[in-house]
Amino acid sequence: MKKWNTFYLLLVVVLAIVILKTSCMEDRKQGEATLKSKAVLENISERKSVRKYLSKSVEEDKIDAMLKAGMAAPSGMDRRPWEFVIVTDRVALDSMAAKLPYAKMLTGAPLAIVVCGDTTLSSYWYLDCSAATQNILLAAEALGLGAVWTAAYPYEDRIDVVRQNTGLPENIVPLCVIPIGYPDGPQKAKDKFDSKRVHRNIY
């Protein structure tokens, strides 16, 4: 009888340990998930348009990380009509800066990513490429870089300028040019939330 009592006592202790350990693991997982969610939301709210950069090149692994983020964007019917041109050539950057009305900051940027769409793959390429662009901007923020969206599409004169400097074929249309670099000095994000623009069930 004593043996059975000892056995049951040990069984209860083991079960209690297992339950406690499982509970701790679940709490830790929930804590990690909360921290991850917080980090993602903070990165979104901290994203800002940065137009002044240090004279420091952007590392290849960070460029790859931004491109992977861009290609992780949603795409209608999974067409993925995007193409990306990495521009580091100083002559090309300065040429685009001189001719694109809102991309003068390219003169100080060590790098630009031109986000383009293949019009033969999707008629709504510009929507998919806009999602990819936002992902790149968020990735730049997360990597400690500064970036800004400068439009090419739908302006024919700007599209022509980008074509001249990147050799794009006719079916590949540049949506935007993203100057990227390390921010020159601290920059603060704007709080853009406006509750008056939120409507529930009916406008």
Side-chain angles (χ1 to χ4, degrees):
M1 186 66 101
K2 285 185 179 179
K3 285 183 179 179
W4 282 109
N5 287 341
T6 304
F7 172 76
Y8 284 123
L9 180 61
L10 286 172
L11 185 61
V12 168
V13 170
V14 170
L15 285 172
I17 291 171
V18 170
I19 291 168
L20 184 61
K21 195 170 183 180
T22 303
S23 177
C24 289
M25 287 175 67
E26 287 298 320
D27 288 345
R28 188 169 65 185
K29 283 180 182 177
Q30 286 180 0
E32 288 172 355
T34 300
L35 287 173
K36 188 176 179 181
S37 299
K38 187 177 179 184
V40 170
L41 293 172
E42 282 180 354
N43 188 62
I44 292 171
S45 64
E46 286 300 312
R47 190 215 62 80
K48 61 198 73 75
S49 295
V50 177
R51 296 176 173 83
K52 290 186 179 180
Y53 317 99
L54 299 174
S55 56
K56 177 182 176 181
S57 60
V58 177
E59 298 85 346
E60 283 298 322
D61 61 326
K62 291 191 176 183
I63 296 173
D64 289 343
M66 288 186 286
L67 293 173
K68 285 178 182 177
M71 294 185 204
S75 172
M77 298 176 68
D78 200 28
R79 294 284 176 84
R80 297 179 237 177
W82 42 63
E83 299 284 343
F84 305 91
V85 182
I86 312 304
V87 184
T88 55
D89 179 72
R90 190 71 263 158
V91 174
L93 290 169
D94 290 345
S95 175
M96 288 192 288
K99 297 172 184 174
L100 295 173
Y102 300 104
K104 304 305 179 189
M105 72 292 294
L106 281 168
T107 57
L111 159 76
I113 296 178
V114 183
V115 182
C116 311
D118 187 338
T119 58
T120 65
L121 290 180
S122 172
S123 58
Y124 39 81
W125 61 269
Y126 56 92
L127 299 176
D128 293 353
C129 291
S130 293
T133 300
Q134 179 69 353
N135 276 12
I136 290 171
L137 295 173
L138 291 172
E141 179 69 33
L143 293 166
L145 299 167
V148 59
W149 183 326
T150 69
Y153 180 83
Y155 309 100
E156 287 299 330
D157 56 336
R158 300 185 203 177
I159 289 171
D160 288 341
V161 168
V162 178
R163 284 191 190 285
Q164 289 164 15
N165 286 278
T166 56
L168 297 176
E170 279 301 310
N171 63 302
I172 306 297
V173 180
L175 174 77
C176 63
V177 179
I178 310 174
I180 301 170
Y182 283 93
D184 184 6
Q187 309 254 353
K188 188 168 182 175
K190 298 175 184 176
D191 182 359
K192 299 180 181 180
F193 180 74
D194 183 354
S195 60
K196 293 191 288 296
R197 293 177 183 260
V198 180
H199 314 281
R200 298 186 184 275
N201 299 319
I202 190 168
Y203 185 82

